[in-house]
Amino acid sequence: MTPDVRTSRKCRGDTGPIDSTQLHTQAFANNKAPFVCYFHGVAPPTHMECQEEKPIIYTMENKPIVTCAGDQGLFTSLYTSLAQQLPREPMEWRRTYGRAPKMIHLEANFVQYKEELLPKEGNKALLTFPFLHIYWTDCCDTEQYKSSVKEDMMRWQNSLRAHGSADWVIIVVESNDNKKKNKTNILPRSSIVDKIRSDFCNKQNDRCVVLSDPLKDSSRSQESWNSLLLKLRTLLLMSFTKNLGRFEDDMRTLREKRTQPGWSFCEYFMVQEELAFVFEMLQQFEDALVQYDELDALFTQYVLNFGAGDTANWLGSFCAPVRSWSGLLLRRPIDMEKRDGIQHGEASLLDLRSYLFSRQCTLLIFLQRPWEVTHRALELLHNCVQELRLLEVSVLEGALDCWVFLSCLEVLHRIEGCCDQVQLAANCSHTVGLWAYATDKLKSLGELCGLVSEKGPSSEDLNRTVDLLAGLGDEKPETVNSLQSPYKKLKEALSSVEAFERHYLELSHAALEMYRAIGRLRSARLVGKSLAEFYMRKGDPERAETFLKEALKSYVSEGWSLPVTHTRKQIAECQKLLGRTDDYLQTSALLAGDVNLTTEERKHFCQEVLTFAGKSGDKSHKVTLSMDVFTQLTRLQFRPATASVHSGADLQVELTLRCLMPISVHIQQLAASIHFDLERGGTNGRSKGAQRQKNAGTVEFCRGNLSAGPPSSAAGPSLELDEMQDRSPSDNSLSCTGVVCKNTHLVMRRHDSNSPPDTPNCLSPPAVTMKEGAQMLKVQDVTLEPGNNSIVFTAPSEQPGTYTLRQLYATVGHVQFVLPHIYPSVQYEVYSQEPHLNVEPLSEPLLAGLPQMVKFTLLTGHYTVKKGDALQLSNTDTMPILPSTSCTARITNPALVGESILSIQSSEKVTSISLPPTLPYHTLEFQLEVLCVIPSGIDRPLVVCPQMSIDCPWSIYSTLLALTFYIPFKTKHSLLSAGNRSYIQVCVQNVSDVNFTLAELKLTGKQHASLELQSLNTKKQQLLCSKHSMFCLWEVRWKENLPSCLQCGFSADFSPLNQDISAFKPFHYQFQLERVTTLYSVEAEILPPAGEQHCRSGLLCGLEVCITRLTEPAEGEMAEESKTDNDGLKTTKLMYEVADSSSNWAVCGKSSGLVSMPMAASATHKVQIEVMPLFAGHLPYPKIKVLKYLPHTAAVAIQPDPDSCVENDSLSLLDKALDEQAETASIRSRGSVHSVGSVDQQQKGVAVPRLEPFSPGQVFNHSHTRQVLVLPATDDHIIEVNAT
Amino acid sequence: MAVCIAVIAKENYPLYIRSVPTQNELKFHYTVHTSLDVVEEKISAVGKSIGDQRELYLGLLYPTEDYKVYGYVTNTKVKFVIVVDSSNTSLRDNEIRSMFRKLHNSFTDVMCNPFHNPGDSIQSKTFDGIISGMMVQTG
């Protein structure tokens, strides 16, 4: 038996015990007291709404049933206090299956006992199950007890037992009044109770409870009440546990049977719901919700299994075509209509889901979890749509949209009903999904029913609308009087275009606002886009544009290319409708270059632009668009790469433009404006060379692709770093170095959070102002093909200065594409150059004495060489310009422009070279042959630098030119003598890199006729290779006395090797010889020791030195040297010295000494010296030096002689003089020690004797290089071998 | 399996987005883009409780009638979004998680490539292959 529900209007009637006939009705009708108003339909809507505003926690009106038998009058009198006191104290309910114990406030519906109330066999209904049976009696009279009460109790007990109910209690009420009344047959109070206990409660004494003086306000009475209530509670709970446990077990058993063929979900549903009801009744909403969730999950699983091919039979009923789509109904606590449907297996899937959800919703609201309702609702709606699809249930098109729409609104309405505005606003995030979903559905319904199009619905659309409305059925009675019910809204919205628009906009804006409020801006924009689409359909592009632009901005800033393209396409349509030509063209241009579109679409948009451009008509209407969308400047290249030319020169700029259009576009004019800056100072244009060299005249422009890749805002501008070095101005040393960022203003720019940084894809073209530059790079009529195009400009270069490329324009008919800033900035420089003449040797080095070619290079600079212009070269004697017949001038630029023959006119002082006419910035080159005369003289320099002054026609100043000529030869001479004979040797060294032939070697003596120089050179011509030397020898003979000084001139002809005789040039060398004649001869002889034939090492032997005067004293000599007269005979003093540098000899005794030589020919002086050979073998003679000894005449002594060698010797001698020791073993070794002191002495004017060497050739040493055989010592055992 | 997989940079621009070719690509772009709202919401909600180990998997971002959108965010705030067909009921949460883990691993491999410039869109063939493996095999 299930509760039989009628639409009874019974209100709560808890003023007294309820008649059992009313029970079933009450169980449901009273379930939600506030909703009773709906049932009655009497409360005005306003009243209803205020009532709904407050969330009310409804107490369950359904209570566990407790039957009362026995004395009804007694019970009625106690009912009120019993019903009040029972729920006052909570009881702990211990649960089975490990569920947590709960504290529970027990209430009960006390009903009069009737046998029908007891459940029959097999009836599983729980709601109507009497959990406890009470028998009331106040009998205190034994007789009465025995006569009637006992029997009644018996009957009661028996019927209970028959129905297997063991949950009973007997309450005996005692009162003093009763006692007093029946004083006569009074029995001890306990006896009646004892009797009852013994009669009925064998072993269960607790089943009989005494209530004393219940209506009195005494402590005793209170105590007995408390024990009674406790007993009742305990018994009730025991009954719950037992009965619910049994029920649950049965339910589980039923569930386990679900694989059996006859199993029905609907049946099972009813059983489990019964349990849910009981939990709800006990206010265990959580447990109740669990029951429904289990049912939900079970059903879902079946549907999924169905999808997987596992069909359950009972599911067939849910697969029936959907006929009604009236939406959720959440205003009733229990939707009995649907429940009946389920019970009878007639419910559709939507019905079941709706019912299930309405129950869940009710419980969730009891649990104060309204936001879970919204989540579950959205999930449910999505899920239902999916399940219908999965079960392949046929649904009328649009029906589900209706259902979802109604359901969304119903849920929202329900939630609004139990929350206040503040709560709602704070929890937008939970409800917004439903709003958006409803909006979506309404939109698709509108589209389906033709309510969105401008024309309005067609008849077909109207038919469809009628069908859809039919499925809604009649409005539910709960909402009939509500003006804003979802049902009314839908019906109204579908009724007319205007109403639809109103409702749709209302919903959309609500969703939009909510999304905005919770910061889901992207979602808001998507709703906005959807709105825009609606407006577009309605033919209201103006409103659409706002939404689209906002959306586009966000897509662009976040770099979502596909949505960008799509939105932009919509904007284009919008702008076209609005007639915003400029914007439309800009967008079209953007779209034409958008790779996300098909080529066809791109061509279409490109054509749109071109069509406008080609339109003839209003010339003044020009549209300026950003160039970025049309074509991108990717590279700029200068030719020449230095980007620096002289004024008037040709400079080409090659632009590489990547055309983004899908088709080739003809451009009437492409121009780049130039900013001209008159640069002062660095006129040669190389001051910024360092920067230029890096990219060699090429500037790469890197711009992100419009459609793909991260937005530039994300990456930010890249750092441009430059190395920086700071050098101190004084010595150019590095004082500081570092790296500087050149574009700090871009990198460090504060990123405004509100406005995204400029991206090339911003909606409207940037405010483009065409700066009218005075100068422009221009090309006319270019066709840009898709992809990279190369365009060459010729840059203006008239005025010197810096030219900066600023903007780029492309004109296509009425459309002008402008690139407002060319960045990084591109500059080129034009400089002006002064004419410059440069003279340099054709080949290094220039050699003096030979004709040499000199190259003249004239850089004309800005100067134009006119006809008649000539260079005036001042002639110099040392460097005559050799006239040549054919001198050709080359004019280059730098390629050869022309050649012409120069005419050179030489006058005495000036050589004039007429220049051929030459254009500016050309180079004029010619060569002249010059000869540098080798200066004669002894001390001539190695290089000659004759200077030449040139007068140029462009300047009033003469230019001085210095060339350096090298003398090819270095000459040395020396005098050699052999006895009386003298020879002159001339050494010629070729210092140049050229090989020469020398001829006509001559030596001439001057002044002396008697002098005869006999050449000993055999060859007529002599090859003298580079860096080699040549020696020539002449014997000097004379007849008369020779002067002490002899002037000689050496001359030779030379020419570079392999040139004919005419090319020979003379070379002279003048020198002077003094004291040519031999004065003395020195002969030395080594005499073996006495008795020996040969010298022996280690034995003393004699050295006999014989100095002989060979010539008569000459006049000069007399004057010079014979100042020390002795005995009237003129003598000179000589000093001899024997020194053996190679340690072959040991000089024993005197090694040096003074000799007085008579000033007469053949005067001889012999000196004997003892020497000892130290080694055996052929030993060279010890060296014998003869020096002039000059006595200490003041004149000579003071004369400082810088010759260090002589000085040292003389000082050595001084030593000896000071020591009074004439002889030392080594003179040389000690000189330096005393040098300072001796110089001091000299400077003090102390007269000291002096030594002076003879000039070469004045002393002839006969024994020079002679050797003497020395035998080893006889007793030498040791043979010493020296290998050197 | 997934119908659309997207990798989105920290700055919310797509690094990689691929959807089932048979369906409207644009729609997925919109869906994924909109899902970023919820991703951001979830990330900021997590950020409030400092110190707790952040779960990279964000779970179901939002369901629509046709699709379920799942999110995942790496520690570097790179977002992964997987869109699954609602009718595909066999997919469990665990499978979605493992898909994200696989995606994350593969993404890490891409980032480890020294020739890959972080921030550029992903062009890797290997990555493509792994994505293909996770997508629905149609036809």
Side-chain angles (χ1 to χ4, degrees):
Chain A
M1 192 190 91
T2 49
D4 173 27
V5 177
R6 283 155 257 151
T7 49
S8 156
R9 309 284 187 265
K10 197 75 186 171
C11 275
R12 351 180 353 180
D14 48 357
T15 47
I18 301 151
D19 186 83
S20 62
T21 50
Q22 299 170 353
L23 181 66
H24 295 163
T25 316
Q26 200 189 5
F28 296 105
N30 285 349
N31 213 346
K32 297 292 158 297
F35 289 103
V36 172
C37 304
Y38 286 84
F39 287 78
H40 288 293
V42 285
T46 46
H47 169 66
M48 178 197 77
E49 275 163 21
C50 352
Q51 217 172 348
E52 281 188 314
E53 263 175 19
K54 282 181 196 161
I56 297 164
I57 304 306
Y58 308 107
T59 51
M60 269 307 283
E61 305 309 325
N62 242 349
K63 293 168 190 168
I65 293 165
V66 177
T67 63
C68 300
D71 189 341
Q72 288 301 311
L74 174 67
F75 169 62
T76 312
S77 68
L78 293 175
Y79 169 76
T80 316
S81 48
L82 184 62
Q84 273 174 4
Q85 293 192 60
L86 186 63
R88 204 167 277 168
E89 303 250 329
M91 276 296 282
E92 190 184 301
W93 185 21
R94 295 177 198 281
R95 316 278 306 273
T96 50
Y97 295 108
R99 283 173 282 193
K102 286 191 170 174
M103 297 306 282
I104 192 166
H105 289 270
L106 286 166
E107 282 183 275
N109 249 349
F110 296 93
V111 297
Q112 193 181 352
Y113 173 76
K114 280 184 182 170
E115 202 165 338
E116 308 92 272
L117 284 176
L118 294 176
K120 294 180 186 71
E121 198 59 45
N123 187 351
K124 296 214 169 64
L126 265 183
L127 266 187
T128 53
F129 186 85
F131 285 96
L132 191 61
H133 306 278
I134 308 174
Y135 192 92
W136 295 89
T137 179
D138 59 350
C139 175
C140 51
D141 186 349
T142 330
E143 289 308 310
Q144 194 189 346
Y145 170 71
K146 277 183 180 165
S147 61
S148 60
V149 176
K150 189 179 176 185
E151 256 174 69
D152 194 34
M153 276 173 139
M154 272 305 222
R155 260 201 313 280
W156 175 71
Q157 276 268 301
N158 285 337
S159 87
L160 285 183
R161 204 171 297 131
H163 287 94
S165 176
D167 306 304
W168 54 265
V169 69
I170 297 166
I171 301 173
V172 180
V173 181
E174 285 180 349
S175 69
N176 291 337
D177 302 347
N178 283 2
K179 276 180 197 167
K180 281 166 194 162
K181 238 186 266 170
N182 308 316
K183 245 172 192 167
T184 46
N185 36 5
I186 199 160
L187 273 175
R189 180 199 335 136
S190 56
S191 61
I192 286 281
V193 178
D194 289 343
K195 252 190 166 46
I196 293 172
R197 278 192 181 142
S198 67
D199 287 345
F200 299 99
C201 324
N202 50 345
K203 295 169 201 160
Q204 289 179 297
N205 283 340
D206 57 337
R207 293 285 170 151
C208 184
V209 186
V210 179
L211 183 63
S212 310
D213 293 331
L215 297 173
K216 288 217 176 117
D217 193 13
S218 69
S219 64
R220 185 160 170 268
S221 150
Q222 198 55 49
E223 207 175 291
S224 91
W225 264 117
N226 283 347
S227 71
L228 170 73
L229 289 168
L230 185 68
K231 178 62 71 183
L232 282 180
R233 286 181 196 131
T234 315
L235 288 173
L236 260 175
L237 280 181
M238 273 171 61
S239 171
F240 286 156
T241 313
K242 191 169 69 191
N243 290 300
L244 287 182
R246 196 189 299 144
F247 187 87
E248 278 180 6
D249 286 345
D250 291 348
M251 188 183 84
R252 266 183 218 105
T253 316
L254 183 59
R255 192 162 62 197
E256 290 317 308
K257 288 181 186 159
R258 66 182 182 275
T259 46
Q260 290 176 7
W263 193 82
S264 159
F265 176 78
C266 295
E267 258 173 53
Y268 176 75
F269 184 96
M270 288 301 147
V271 173
Q272 188 156 10
E273 194 186 24
E274 192 78 20
L275 187 62
F277 282 149
V278 172
F279 280 123
E280 193 180 353
M281 179 175 78
L282 296 176
Q283 298 188 32
Q284 300 307 305
F285 304 118
E286 199 75 59
D287 290 289
L289 186 62
V290 167
Q291 306 312 316
Y292 283 110
D293 288 349
E294 276 180 19
L295 283 169
D296 192 345
L298 188 64
F299 186 74
T300 305
Q301 194 54 51
Y302 268 104
V303 176
L304 293 185
N305 290 352
F306 180 89
D310 182 10
T311 325
N313 283 335
W314 57 266
L315 209 55
S317 68
F318 294 105
C319 296
V322 176
R323 305 227 177 275
S324 162
W325 38 88
S326 53
L328 292 175
L329 186 61
L330 303 176
R331 292 162 209 246
R332 296 180 194 170
I334 299 176
D335 186 349
M336 291 315 295
E337 255 173 83
K338 293 226 167 67
R339 193 170 189 276
D340 284 347
I342 295 165
Q343 197 171 8
H344 300 120
E346 291 159 357
S348 70
L349 184 126
L350 285 185
D351 290 339
L352 176 75
R353 284 290 184 196
S354 301
Y355 177 72
L356 204 50
F357 184 75
S358 74
R359 294 296 300 139
Q360 287 168 327
C361 171
T362 306
L363 291 170
L364 283 169
I365 286 175
F366 277 144
L367 288 166
Q368 289 181 287
R369 277 145 61 178
W371 312 124
E372 198 175 331
V373 175
T374 58
H375 284 279
R376 280 176 175 236
L378 205 55
E379 211 175 306
L380 166 90
L381 298 177
H382 290 146
N383 190 34
C384 283
V385 173
Q386 284 300 325
E387 282 184 344
L388 287 174
R389 231 176 261 172
L390 193 65
L391 295 175
E392 291 162 347
V393 175
S394 75
V395 187
L396 183 71
E397 195 187 359
L400 269 182
D401 295 340
C402 288
W403 185 75
V404 168
F405 175 78
L406 290 173
S407 302
C408 283
L409 290 192
E410 178 70 16
V411 173
L412 289 171
H413 209 270
R414 184 74 187 84
I415 296 302
E416 278 166 23
C418 64
C419 297
D420 58 20
Q421 285 301 314
V422 181
Q423 263 181 306
L424 275 176
N427 289 285
C428 275
S429 57
H430 301 287
T431 53
V432 69
L434 287 170
W435 282 105
Y437 198 20
T439 313
D440 246 23
K441 287 298 162 190
L442 187 61
K443 188 186 177 195
S444 63
L445 274 175
E447 277 164 18
L448 187 71
C449 300
L451 295 166
V452 182
S453 64
E454 271 179 281
K455 288 168 287 181
S458 63
S459 63
E460 206 177 312
D461 294 332
L462 288 173
N463 280 339
R464 207 175 288 135
T465 312
V466 170
D467 288 346
L468 282 176
L469 289 176
L472 296 181
D474 292 327
E475 183 162 18
K476 295 288 177 285
E478 293 93 323
T479 58
V480 166
N481 293 311
S482 160
L483 292 174
Q484 284 277 305
S485 71
Y487 179 87
K488 287 203 184 73
K489 268 191 190 168
L490 180 60
K491 226 169 181 175
E492 195 184 320
L494 294 184
S495 66
S496 76
V497 174
E498 292 73 29
F500 172 79
E501 183 177 343
R502 188 160 49 79
H503 282 289
Y504 174 67
L505 291 182
E506 189 188 320
L507 278 174
S508 290
H509 283 290
L512 198 72
E513 286 311 313
M514 282 184 201
Y515 273 136
R516 284 220 183 108
I518 59 172
R520 291 196 186 178
L521 295 177
R522 295 180 188 87
S523 311
R525 283 181 196 124
L526 201 62
V527 175
K529 268 205 66 192
S530 178
L531 258 176
E533 277 161 30
F534 173 76
Y535 280 127
M536 284 303 286
R537 290 232 187 152
K538 299 292 286 181
D540 188 357
E542 204 157 347
R543 285 196 199 173
E545 201 194 11
T546 340
F547 289 111
L548 290 173
K549 275 192 172 170
E550 197 193 342
L552 180 62
K553 204 166 77 186
S554 108
Y555 299 140
V556 164
S557 74
E558 294 195 329
W560 287 73
S561 68
L562 232 53
V564 164
T565 308
H566 179 239
T567 313
R568 200 169 269 157
K569 235 165 83 182
Q570 291 174 319
I571 286 182
E573 197 187 333
C574 214
Q575 287 166 337
K576 193 177 187 182
L577 286 174
L578 286 170
R580 296 211 185 124
T581 320
D582 292 23
D583 293 347
Y584 176 62
L585 290 178
Q586 180 72 43
T587 313
S588 295
L590 272 169
L591 286 167
D594 197 329
V595 289
N596 285 330
L597 292 175
T598 61
T599 318
E600 287 311 309
E601 283 173 299
R602 290 177 60 187
K603 276 182 184 167
H604 162 75
F605 285 111
C606 185
Q607 207 55 57
E608 288 284 298
V609 178
L610 295 181
T611 311
F612 174 82
K615 235 189 271 175
S616 58
D618 188 10
K619 292 274 181 200
S620 61
H621 186 219
K622 275 206 164 191
V623 176
T624 305
L625 302 178
S626 160
M627 184 173 279
D628 284 320
V629 304
F630 168 68
T631 177
Q632 285 177 316
L633 178 60
T634 55
R635 208 155 69 110
L636 189 145
Q637 199 170 9
F638 283 107
R639 284 198 296 248
T642 51
S644 166
V645 291
H646 58 73
S647 66
D650 206 24
L651 177 74
Q652 288 188 324
V653 185
E654 185 183 339
L655 296 185
T656 307
L657 292 174
R658 190 195 294 142
C659 180
L660 302 171
M661 295 296 112
I663 51 175
S664 55
V665 178
H666 180 81
I667 292 176
Q668 272 102 49
Q669 192 189 47
L670 187 68
S673 69
I674 293 171
H675 173 80
F676 173 68
D677 193 10
L678 189 66
E679 195 188 52
R680 311 223 174 253
T683 46
N684 63 355
R686 275 167 185 84
S687 55
K688 291 179 182 171
Q691 196 197 337
R692 287 278 142 68
Q693 276 166 7
K694 253 186 275 175
N695 39 25
T698 307
V699 183
E700 300 280 352
F701 299 89
C702 40
R703 278 220 173 75
N705 197 331
L706 280 184
S707 48
S712 56
S713 60
S718 58
L719 292 177
E720 275 180 45
L721 296 176
D722 248 14
E723 194 183 347
M724 186 265 304
Q725 291 189 340
D726 197 2
R727 290 177 183 279
S728 83
S730 56
D731 56 352
N732 202 33
S733 67
L734 193 64
S735 61
C736 154
T737 184
V739 175
V740 279
C741 176
K742 282 164 53 186
N743 56 349
T744 27
H745 60 291
L746 292 176
V747 180
M748 303 293 283
R749 184 171 57 184
R750 193 175 73 89
H751 287 290
D752 205 338
S753 48
N754 296 328
S755 60
D758 294 343
T759 47
N761 8 355
C762 40
L763 300 182
S764 52
V768 175
T769 49
M770 283 188 285
K771 290 180 187 158
E772 287 302 327
Q775 283 175 308
M776 281 201 170
L777 301 176
K778 267 186 213 174
V779 276
Q780 310 281 343
D781 293 320
V782 197
T783 302
L784 289 184
E785 298 293 335
N788 281 345
N789 294 269
S790 174
I791 290 144
V792 179
F793 291 101
T794 303
S797 59
E798 284 81 36
Q799 262 191 293
T802 308
Y803 293 76
T804 311
L805 269 62
R806 282 283 165 86
Q807 293 178 318
L808 198 62
Y809 318 90
T811 314
V812 186
H814 295 311
V815 181
Q816 190 162 39
F817 294 99
V818 178
L819 180 65
H821 302 290
I822 297 177
Y823 182 84
S825 68
V826 178
Q827 289 186 337
Y828 67 90
E829 279 160 35
V830 174
Y831 59 90
S832 158
Q833 197 181 33
E834 291 299 317
H836 180 71
L837 178 66
N838 189 29
V839 181
E840 57 190 8
L842 188 63
S843 62
E844 287 281 1
L846 286 172
L847 294 177
L850 286 173
Q852 296 284 298
M853 295 305 275
V854 175
K855 194 167 98 178
F856 284 71
T857 311
L858 171 61
L859 303 170
T860 53
H862 60 75
Y863 181 76
T864 313
V865 181
K866 298 170 283 292
K867 197 175 158 105
D869 280 344
L871 294 177
Q872 309 281 342
L873 277 66
S874 62
N875 291 346
T876 52
D877 293 336
T878 51
M879 193 182 69
I881 290 163
L882 301 179
S884 65
T885 46
S886 63
C887 180
T888 322
R890 287 158 51 90
I891 302 165
T892 54
N893 177 32
L896 185 65
V897 172
E899 285 190 18
S900 66
I901 292 173
L902 287 175
S903 68
I904 300 171
Q905 275 123 26
S906 281
S907 67
E908 203 170 316
K909 285 190 169 174
V910 169
T911 304
S912 162
I913 305 166
S914 333
L915 299 172
T918 312
L919 292 169
Y921 298 104
H922 280 54
T923 309
L924 185 69
E925 275 181 349
F926 57 89
Q927 292 167 4
L928 285 183
E929 206 171 22
V930 295
L931 180 70
C932 178
V933 179
I934 301 174
S936 53
I938 298 160
D939 296 325
R940 63 184 165 203
L942 288 174
V943 292
V944 192
C945 302
Q947 285 195 332
M948 178 161 60
S949 85
I950 305 171
D951 288 329
C952 307
W954 56 82
S955 168
I956 54 165
Y957 303 106
S958 356
T959 314
L960 275 182
L961 285 176
L963 293 169
T964 304
F965 289 85
Y966 293 85
I967 298 170
F969 302 112
K970 209 161 125 185
T971 42
K972 276 189 297 191
H973 66 275
S974 53
L975 182 70
L976 308 170
S977 60
N980 285 340
R981 293 183 184 191
S982 292
Y983 301 91
I984 296 172
Q985 189 194 47
V986 176
C987 171
V988 181
Q989 190 190 358
N990 182 359
V991 292
S992 75
D993 295 326
V994 187
N995 297 335
F996 289 105
T997 312
L998 263 66
E1000 299 288 328
L1001 302 169
K1002 270 184 208 158
L1003 187 70
T1004 49
K1006 288 175 188 167
Q1007 304 154 352
H1008 294 282
S1010 63
L1011 188 71
E1012 192 189 330
L1013 293 168
Q1014 189 182 350
S1015 172
L1016 299 175
N1017 308 306
T1018 49
K1019 283 187 178 169
K1020 270 197 152 181
Q1021 288 198 343
Q1022 184 75 39
L1023 173 69
L1024 182 54
C1025 289
S1026 166
K1027 310 291 181 201
H1028 283 220
S1029 297
M1030 186 186 81
F1031 293 89
C1032 313
L1033 197 65
W1034 284 267
E1035 188 181 347
V1036 189
R1037 292 181 191 175
W1038 63 89
K1039 285 164 191 160
E1040 297 166 24
N1041 277 346
L1042 271 175
S1044 62
C1045 187
L1046 197 59
Q1047 295 284 333
C1048 294
F1050 172 79
S1051 72
D1053 288 350
F1054 71 99
S1055 80
L1057 191 63
N1058 300 332
Q1059 287 203 1
D1060 57 345
I1061 303 159
S1062 65
F1064 278 99
K1065 297 287 168 191
F1067 174 73
H1068 294 284
Y1069 175 57
Q1070 305 282 345
F1071 59 94
Q1072 186 176 318
L1073 286 173
E1074 289 181 347
R1075 302 171 199 138
V1076 182
T1077 51
T1078 314
L1079 289 178
Y1080 302 97
S1081 79
V1082 177
E1083 259 179 286
E1085 192 68 44
I1086 290 185
L1087 304 171
E1092 294 276 347
Q1093 206 172 353
H1094 292 289
C1095 301
R1096 274 188 188 275
S1097 71
L1099 289 182
L1100 279 178
C1101 43
L1103 175 67
E1104 191 182 73
V1105 179
C1106 177
I1107 303 170
T1108 314
R1109 174 138 193 137
L1110 294 181
T1111 53
E1112 292 293 324
E1115 287 157 31
E1117 195 185 5
M1118 290 291 284
E1120 190 185 323
E1121 293 171 18
S1122 59
K1123 280 168 187 168
T1124 52
D1125 284 354
N1126 264 352
D1127 317 327
L1129 186 63
K1130 285 180 180 173
T1131 58
T1132 42
K1133 279 195 173 169
L1134 296 177
M1135 180 170 164
Y1136 68 89
E1137 188 189 333
V1138 179
D1140 178 39
S1141 56
S1142 54
S1143 311
N1144 288 330
W1145 301 91
V1147 181
C1148 306
K1150 249 172 95 170
S1151 69
S1152 58
L1154 284 177
V1155 202
S1156 282
M1157 287 294 290
M1159 296 279 273
S1162 307
T1164 308
H1165 193 92
K1166 283 193 179 177
V1167 183
Q1168 295 284 341
I1169 299 163
E1170 282 194 320
V1171 292
M1172 185 169 72
L1174 298 174
F1175 297 102
H1178 288 282
L1179 296 183
Y1181 272 46
K1183 213 171 173 185
I1184 298 154
K1185 273 176 98 177
V1186 178
L1187 300 155
K1188 270 188 254 183
Y1189 182 82
L1190 301 180
H1192 46 82
T1193 55
V1196 179
I1198 291 165
Q1199 180 195 340
D1201 196 334
D1203 189 347
S1204 64
C1205 177
V1206 176
E1207 192 77 40
N1208 276 350
D1209 283 348
S1210 69
L1211 291 170
S1212 311
L1213 202 68
L1214 279 170
D1215 276 358
K1216 281 176 273 183
L1218 289 165
D1219 293 348
E1220 293 293 320
Q1221 209 164 354
E1223 286 132 28
T1224 47
S1226 169
I1227 299 169
R1228 286 166 194 277
S1229 60
R1230 299 170 56 186
S1232 58
V1233 181
H1234 297 277
S1235 59
V1236 179
S1238 53
V1239 168
D1240 285 347
Q1241 285 176 345
Q1242 270 191 356
Q1243 284 174 348
K1244 283 171 197 161
V1246 178
V1248 278
R1250 208 163 59 94
L1251 286 174
E1252 193 175 283
F1254 285 101
S1255 315
Q1258 280 189 304
V1259 176
F1260 180 73
N1261 196 341
H1262 283 276
S1263 56
H1264 186 65
T1265 71
R1266 260 184 79 180
Q1267 290 181 332
V1268 63
L1269 180 68
V1270 178
L1271 295 178
T1274 44
D1275 54 347
D1276 270 351
H1277 318 295
I1278 305 157
I1279 298 169
E1280 216 177 309
V1281 179
N1282 274 355
T1284 51
Chain B
M1 290 300 211
V3 287
C4 175
I5 292 178
V7 179
I8 296 139
K10 182 173 177 264
E11 294 84 5
N12 290 337
Y13 62 89
L15 291 174
Y16 184 94
I17 180 158
R18 185 138 150 243
S19 52
V20 177
T22 49
Q23 298 181 39
N24 186 358
E25 197 185 352
L26 180 67
K27 184 177 68 184
F28 287 119
H29 279 248
Y30 278 125
T31 306
V32 172
H33 183 249
T34 314
S35 74
L36 292 177
D37 271 341
V38 190
V39 171
E40 283 182 351
E41 223 167 71
K42 294 212 175 196
I43 291 174
S44 62
V46 165
K48 277 169 195 158
S49 55
I50 305 156
D52 67 342
Q53 187 67 34
R54 197 157 64 82
E55 165 77 286
L56 301 179
Y57 177 57
L58 299 176
L60 182 66
L61 297 180
Y62 69 91
T64 66
E65 203 172 289
D66 304 312
Y67 303 106
K68 291 198 177 95
V69 186
Y70 294 91
Y72 185 95
V73 62
T74 70
N75 286 318
T76 51
K77 299 273 186 291
V78 173
K79 294 123 192 159
F80 300 146
V81 172
I82 292 182
V83 183
V84 176
D85 208 313
S86 283
S87 62
N88 193 342
T89 47
S90 58
L91 268 181
R92 301 260 173 258
D93 203 48
N94 256 349
E95 287 162 89
I96 300 286
R97 276 175 192 268
S98 78
M99 273 166 86
F100 274 125
R101 257 196 300 277
K102 208 163 148 192
L103 189 60
H104 196 169
N105 285 341
S106 188
F107 176 73
T108 313
D109 288 346
V110 172
M111 286 298 129
C112 288
N113 178 0
F115 299 103
H116 178 80
N117 196 3
D120 286 359
S121 60
I122 296 170
Q123 313 278 355
S124 158
K125 276 183 187 164
T126 321
F127 189 77
D128 229 28
I130 285 178
I131 297 289
S132 300
M134 290 196 277
M135 304 274 272
V136 168
Q137 314 294 315
T138 49

